[in-house]
Amino acid sequence: VTTLAQDLYLLVAAYGLAVAVTYAGLPVLGQSAFVAVGAFGTTQLVMHGTPLGVAVVVAVAAAALAGYAIGFAAARLDGGPLALATWALAWLAYTALVVFPRLGGGAQGLTRPSPARLVSPTLGLTAVLSPWVHVAVATAVAAVVALVLWRSDRLAWGLDLAALRSGPVLAESLGVPVRRRRCAILAVAAALGALGGAGTAVLLGVWRLRTTRRCCRCSCSSRFWWAAPPRGGGRPSVSPRSRRCPPSRTTWRPRSTSTRSAPAPS
Amino acid sequence: VLLVVVTLGLGVALSVASYAVAVRPFLDRGRGQDVMGWVAGGVTTGLVIRTAVAVSLPAAAYAVPDPLHLAALTGGRVLRLPGGGAVAGSTFVVLAVAGVVAASADRLLLRSRAGRAVRALADDPDAAVLSGVAVERTIVVAFAAAGLLAATAAVLVAPGLSVSADRGVALGLAGAAAAVLGRLGEPRDAVVGGLVLGVAQQLVESAGGSGAAWSELLPLGVLVAVLAARPRGLFAAREPLAEL
């Protein structure tokens, strides 16, 4: 059951990668850094006396903020340079944890009591987070993310992602706020990665550096990478012939921008 | 000498094999390049090679013998610097070899037919094809040259380090950081960038305290920061703004 829960948390982290790679066409290789922020952040905060629930929320929010900042800083990057920069970022996080043992706990990693207990003095509740509880939580999160991604082609922001997949210039000409969308995508990817990391750290009660690296390898080789991207991404690009978002079912209203000169798609 | 030749040959073979297995399938010139595919293919190949090395060499670190006997070439001399610093004589040999390799690569890229083909393909693949560049052969030559240069760097630098499976990635990323400190695609700038980065690392390390830890982070931080600010290199000309 513990292995199942761990794999489901890994699935959540991989969904984060899929949002950036498959749905937005951004070759992001830094997902393991966000997993590490979630895992080490949660464990460090708990070790310093923060309640478990608050620690998870703070760690996930910190990762999302970091993801947004990276999206902002890497706004001009695409393709190979973006992959190289985010890969270097993942190694930067890993190296920081290695060379500063107080952050990563050294070879032994960071440990905390397991199974964890959620205590709410206000409500007078104490819940033991058994592996089955983790399975339920991870399944629920993964299912919600999968459902949202599955329906994304029918939502306005899903069409923005489709435009981004086809290329930033086309997306810009269609009135998609490219920089804002990329920042938001990386924030969501980071938050999901951190959630996967935090969940696994709480489940196991220990987080080591090699666990982060294993997550990185599993995420990189997950099926989302290999979703047969025709050009620049794993999902179909914007096209009048696209079966996923036919114009008759979804109306794309280009936003008014001062730089827009290309005609709206029919 | 045989060891050096085998190492260089292995570098070339691995590089060309990784192109054939992991990159080429994603370069369908009929439909354009699949960036995601070759990035994922390249990263996965790197992970496979790294894991194979880690499995076959399980110790935390290894001391590598010096096949070129660089220390013997300089008689084991050490240059004492004001302030207590010291530079091994073999470092100057490594610098000289790096300079010669960079100058040769630069000359080959600018003057030789293969070099011009590589630059044309990098600048504009479609125009290069129309100009009669043999695409397949040019890419194989570029990958072979990349493998040869990487293996040369490993032969020069490994004897001074404690080598582990992860060391290659760290060195590769440090090399990329050195390259973006100048102008991407300019071998001479990469040598100067490497020199600047190495000296900066030593200065940070000699600051004491947690300086050694920060010096490990410096190349990665430089790579991320420079790529974000100037994707074509720190001293590359700014690209004109795209007209939308």
Side-chain angles (χ1 to χ4, degrees), chain B residues 124-179:
Chain B
D124 190 335
D126 294 332
V129 170
L130 290 174
S131 306
V133 170
V135 175
E136 190 69 34
R137 198 173 61 202
T138 305
I139 297 177
V140 169
V141 167
F143 268 80
L148 183 67
L149 290 173
T152 307
V155 167
L156 288 172
V157 81
L161 300 172
S162 57
V163 178
S164 65
D166 283 338
R167 196 79 199 184
V169 182
L171 277 174
L173 288 172

Side-chain angles (χ1 to χ4, degrees), chain A:
Chain A
V1 177
T2 303
T3 307
L4 175 65
Q6 199 178 345
D7 287 347
L8 285 168
Y9 279 127
L10 182 62
L11 180 65
V12 172
Y15 268 133
L17 191 67
V19 171
V21 175
T22 314
Y23 285 81
L26 300 172
V28 174
L29 300 178
Q31 189 72 352
S32 66
F34 304 129
V35 173
V37 168
F40 284 107
T42 300
T43 314
Q44 284 280 12
L45 286 170
V46 169
M47 285 168 68
H48 285 84
T50 311
L52 181 61
V54 177
V56 171
V57 171
V58 169
V60 171
L65 201 63
Y68 194 92
I70 289 161
F72 192 81
R76 298 171 61 195
L77 299 184
D78 242 326
L82 180 62
L84 181 61
T86 50
W87 195 36
L89 193 76
W91 274 93
L92 185 67
Y94 175 73
T95 311
L97 290 167
V98 169
V99 297
F100 293 113
R102 285 183 66 187
L103 274 180
Q108 288 78 32
L110 298 176
T111 55
R112 48 172 309 285
S114 181
R117 288 170 186 275
L118 264 183
V119 182
S120 171
T122 318
L123 301 173
L125 286 176
T126 301
V128 178
L129 300 180
S130 67
W132 279 115
V133 174
H134 283 283
V135 167
V137 170
T139 305
V141 173
V144 168
V145 176
L147 188 66
V148 170
L149 290 178
W150 180 51
R151 302 287 293 180
S152 66
D153 286 344
R154 302 178 186 199
L155 303 170
W157 60 265
L159 294 178
D160 285 358
L161 294 191
L164 275 175
R165 274 203 302 279
S166 299
V169 176
L170 173 66
E172 192 87 46
S173 70
L174 290 170
V176 176
V178 173
R179 176 174 268 203
R180 274 215 321 259
R181 285 288 177 272
R182 284 176 60 147
C183 291
I185 287 158
L186 285 177
V188 170
L192 289 173
L195 195 59
T200 311
V202 175
L203 168 75
L204 300 176
V206 61
W207 189 272
R208 296 189 181 95
L209 283 170
R210 67 180 181 202
T211 321
T212 306
R213 276 178 33 199
R214 204 182 65 199
C215 277
C216 173
R217 284 201 293 272
C218 291
S219 298
C220 284
S221 55
S222 70
R223 71 182 181 86
F224 300 109
W225 273 112
W226 306 105
R231 183 189 172 103
R235 306 274 297 174
S237 300
V238 174
S239 158
R241 293 183 182 178
S242 171
R243 288 188 300 162
R244 285 281 179 180
C245 45
S248 57
R249 282 167 56 189
T250 312
T251 307
W252 189 323
R253 294 191 181 86
R255 299 161 186 78
S256 60
T257 61
S258 56
T259 54
R260 184 163 61 84
S261 58
S266 57

Side-chain angles (χ1 to χ4, degrees), chain B residues 56-72:
Chain B
S56 52
L57 302 169
Y62 289 86
V64 178
D66 182 1
L68 297 173
H69 305 292
L70 297 181

Side-chain angles (χ1 to χ4, degrees), chain B:
Chain B
V1 175
L2 183 65
L3 186 66
V4 173
V5 171
V6 168
T7 306
L8 299 185
L10 202 60
V12 172
L14 269 178
S15 185
V16 173
S18 68
Y19 162 69
V21 172
V23 177
R24 193 184 181 284
F26 299 101
L27 297 180
D28 183 351
R29 272 163 293 283
R31 293 185 298 157
Q33 292 185 6
D34 170 12
V35 174
M36 210 73 68
W38 65 255
V39 167
V43 169
T44 308
T45 310
L47 287 174
V48 167
I49 294 171
R50 188 221 151 270
T51 307
V53 171
V55 167
S56 52
L57 302 169
Y62 289 86
V64 178
D66 182 1
L68 297 173
H69 305 292
L70 297 181
L73 275 177
T74 55
R77 290 190 189 87
V78 174
L79 177 68
R80 300 281 171 196
L81 298 175
V87 183
S90 57
T91 306
F92 294 102
V93 181
V94 172
L95 269 176
V97 174
V100 170
V101 169
S104 308
D106 199 44
R107 191 174 175 78
L108 282 172
L109 271 175
L110 288 175
R111 302 287 167 82
S112 73
R113 188 181 171 83
R116 282 198 293 268
V118 167
R119 286 191 296 132
L121 203 55
D123 284 344
D124 190 335
D126 294 332
V129 170
L130 290 174
S131 306
V133 170
V135 175
E136 190 69 34
R137 198 173 61 202
T138 305
I139 297 177
V140 169
V141 167
F143 268 80
L148 183 67
L149 290 173
T152 307
V155 167
L156 288 172
V157 81
L161 300 172
S162 57
V163 178
S164 65
D166 283 338
R167 196 79 199 184
V169 182
L171 277 174
L173 288 172
V180 298
L181 268 181
R183 288 165 294 179
L184 270 180
E186 296 287 342
R188 284 175 298 186
D189 285 9
V191 172
V192 176
L195 196 59
V196 169
L197 198 60
V199 171
Q201 272 189 287
Q202 290 301 316
L203 285 175
V204 171
E205 192 172 341
S206 63
S210 54
W214 286 109
S215 76
E216 293 275 328
L217 298 177
L218 186 67
L220 296 165
V222 165
L223 179 57
V224 173
V226 174
L227 272 178
R230 306 290 294 264
R232 296 180 67 82
L234 195 59
F235 295 110
R238 278 189 181 277
E239 289 175 19
L241 290 173
E243 290 181 12
L244 292 171

